[in-house]
Amino acid sequence: MAEPAGPAGPTIAVALKWVDLRPDIDRVTGATHHDVRFFGCSAADQAALEHALRIGERFGWPVVAVSAGPAEADAVLRDALAVGASAAIRVDIEAGARSQHSAAALHDALATIDGLRLVCCGDWSLDRGSGSVPAFVAAHLGWGQALGLVGVDLDGDAGDGAFTVTRRLDQGRREVLRIDGPAVLSFEGGTAELRRAPLAAVLRTRDAAIVPLAGPPAPHHRLRVVHRGPDRPRARVLPPPDASLSPRERILALTGALVERTPPRTVVCEPDDAADLILDQLRAWGYLD
Amino acid sequence: MSKPDRPQGAPAGTKRIPTPTEPDVDVIVVGAGPAGAAAALVLARAGRSVYLLERGPFPGSKNMYGGVIYGRILDTLIPRWWEEAPVQRWVTRRATMVMTPTQALTIDYRTAAWGEAPYNGATAFRPDFDAWLADHAVAAGATLVPSTTAVGLLRGDRGQIVGVQTDRPDGDLTARLVIACDGVNSFLAKEAGLYHHPEAEHFTLGAKEVLALPRDEIEKRFGLRGLEGADFEIIGCTPGIAGGGFIYTNLESVAVGVVLSLEDLKRSGKRPEELIAGLKAHPAVAPLVEGAELTEYSAHLIPEAGLHMMPELYGPGMLVAGDAGAFCLAAGIWLEGVNFAIGSGKVAGEVAVQALRAGDTSATFLGRYQDALTDTFALADHIKLQGAPALVMSDNVQRRYPELVCSLVESLFTVTNPTPKKGALRLAREAAKGSGVRLRDLARDGWAALRSYG
Ligand SMILES: Cc1cc2nc3c(=O)[nH]c(=O)nc-3n(C[C@H](O)[C@H](O)[C@H](O)COP(=O)(O)OP(=O)(O)OC[C@H]3O[C@@H](n4cnc5c(N)ncnc54)[C@H](O)[C@@H]3O)c2cc1C
């Protein structure tokens, strides 16, 4: 733990998994090659962290980052400390542990946090990706769970730390839930862009010592995996477009056009004028004097 | 969160600040390529505090090149480096190929000596090599700051450089000295007003494909064993565009690429990948790469003009090393940038140590950098070879001489019975005429080559 966890009062925990973001998967044999340099947090875990920080800022609750994994997983915890988590806990279990084992390990970490109020997770991890860890964690805690969230609304009446979340249901339906007590929330990737860490925080946390907790033994089951098919690269996760938009606008949002940036312009002109337009734009962005 | 006004990583220009009395760090090295890692290593070993900024998530993640590193310069930095460096193959076969669209003449040299310590050249992947070199700097005490881009300079009261702005929130960093190792077309050297020759004619574009092949297949096709590797440099393979080509063997892949004059490329309207496709289809190359699977395509600028494009290499509070200072040696039979980057980065680190010791980072003191460089290959070779880039990119070397030698060799080896064999001199005259080479040009270029390479 970088700093003592569990300041009294409500605390948010965010569960982060150290995972290969760019596994090299042979398309024919399915053989997977891992390179630790490409390990980090999935888009879903990053979204969970960003949402946790926003909720924490809104209500003045600290955010504690937790991870169940090997020593290398400290890297994602240090990144979380750099963006604003106040403490970090790692439970030492081997990489690739099964969901119930990971959830039990995370629960051991959560048990050390006083005043735990919310647990934020990504909806599923990039490697095994069954999406069951948040549910197992909720079961361990005996809490309600809100899974597959696509948005958080913190603007309502926040008197007692209540807020609403939106989750995706089958067939494109949405459901809005009010959270006013302990809960496990899992977020879809791309629903919030993780903020950039300030430079001083990056420098301060890059060597932060994270003392690991010993992990629980792997649960013994009558149910074993006897065969596993080859890995397949995951599709990229995109933020769901606003459901109130027209189909055309939703397609534009999904393809990235007209979203959060200057709308693309199509101009038909002579090469000289085209060059001038490009230079003007580069100037406007600050690339040229 | 509010959106930044500029895209992440966009230049922020220069900011004036009061000269800090206690800067954050002794030296900021911008760019963890070979130049930056070497500079940081020297500084850290001298006990200086140094931040090594890298815009990529890890050193080498953004970097590409052809594929061969000449490691002699490493002897002085990391003794017995060959025992630990992440090498693919040791180059024991070096071929220079002269081509026309249907012909090829290859001078093929092999030596067992290059396959043994202390070795000569090695193929290596940059994400592995750069990370390894930067790890040495970190082990010596440098602080690597990845995923962080320097977007602007900080200048103090008297206009001297006192740090950089980065693209992170609250991202200003101050230092006694900044070393710009940010690669070709250096944004920092330009921002500091040191770059006076950024004209397109001084740059080439390097583009390459990495083609996967089974290890034993590579060994069969290139005649290699174990960790032996091959390096082919090619002239005459970029029709209508001044440049050249290369083929390098990795353990389980082959890098095939072209280097192209930017201006010719623009004029030709061709795409770099078309030219690589042409090279791969050439009868002398096709059997080497047939059936391979394309796993990577990349392109990068090369500072081609050497001495003619070098910026001022120092200014108040700043030194410039590696490709940022146009140290890459692109002289036809040689394309050496990594070793020149390490060489210049090392000298920059040494001069920075002296400047910090003297408490003087003025331009006058830092002028020693230029003198120190002249005493090493990093600048001395550029001075000696200053005529080479223009000669290599000339129409004669690019087109006429390849045609001349290929047709001469073809006629020498074409059996014309029952017509009696022609004398070699006569064949040479005919080949020269056929390729439009005048004796005058040959003499002039021969003299220029002698002056450069002699
Ligand atoms: C196609 C091609 C083939 C080549 N073949 C060979 C070869 O076979 N052998 C050889 O020796 N050389 C070769 N070279 C040349 C060689 O790649 C370069 O000379 C060498 O990489 C220069 O090293 P450097 O450290 O100066 O710059 P780079 O290797 O370009 O490193 C610069 C570093 O700075 C970082 N950076 C840039 N801007 C910023 C910023 N603002 N803030 C933070 N970080 C920043 C970059 O991400 C990068 O890591 C080749 C080049 C090309 C393009």
Side-chain angles (χ1 to χ4, degrees), chain A residues 27 37 195-199 287, chain B residues 11 127-128 147 167-168 293:
Chain A
R27 274 165 289 170
R37 291 175 302 192
R195 65 195 64 190
R196 239 165 115 59
L199 188 57
Y287 284 105
Chain B
D128 299 339
S147 302
D167 64 342
R168 287 193 175 274
E293 189 197 346

Side-chain angles (χ1 to χ4, degrees), chain A residues 27 35 37-38 50 54 193-200 202-203 206 260-261 284-289, chain B residues 1 3 6-8 10-11 51 58 127-128 131 143 145 147-148 166-173 293:
Chain A
R27 274 165 289 170
D35 182 339
R37 291 175 302 192
F38 295 115
E50 179 59 33
R54 290 180 194 172
E193 190 181 338
L194 182 60
R195 65 195 64 190
R196 239 165 115 59
L199 188 57
V202 171
L203 294 170
R206 79 202 151 84
E260 282 200 330
R261 62 189 164 91
W285 281 335
Y287 284 105
L288 299 174
D289 291 332
Chain B
M1 259 208 326
K3 262 181 74 59
R6 288 187 321 266
Q8 191 182 311
Y51 284 163
F58 59 86
D128 299 339
T143 300
V145 190
S147 302
T148 304
T166 73
D167 64 342
R168 287 193 175 274
D170 304 324
D172 292 358
L173 265 184
E293 189 197 346

Side-chain angles (χ1 to χ4, degrees), chain A residues 82-168:
Chain A
V83 290
S86 60
I89 310 169
R90 179 173 63 81
V91 186
D92 197 40
I93 59 169
E94 62 188 25
R98 300 199 51 207
S99 302
Q100 273 166 293
H101 193 195
S102 300
L106 288 172
H107 181 246
D108 285 357
L110 299 173
T112 67
I113 302 173
D114 289 339
L116 184 65
R117 164 82 175 227
L118 292 174
V119 179
C120 298
C121 313
D123 57 352
W124 40 257
S125 60
L126 276 181
D127 46 2
R128 287 178 57 81
S130 63
S132 54
V133 167
F136 278 126
V137 169
H140 274 288
L141 292 166
W143 288 4
Q145 46 173 311
L147 307 184
L149 302 184
V150 293
V152 177
D153 183 1
L154 296 169
D155 293 335
D157 171 21
D160 51 354
F163 57 95
T164 56
V165 292
T166 305
R167 77 169 162 199
R168 185 203 297 278

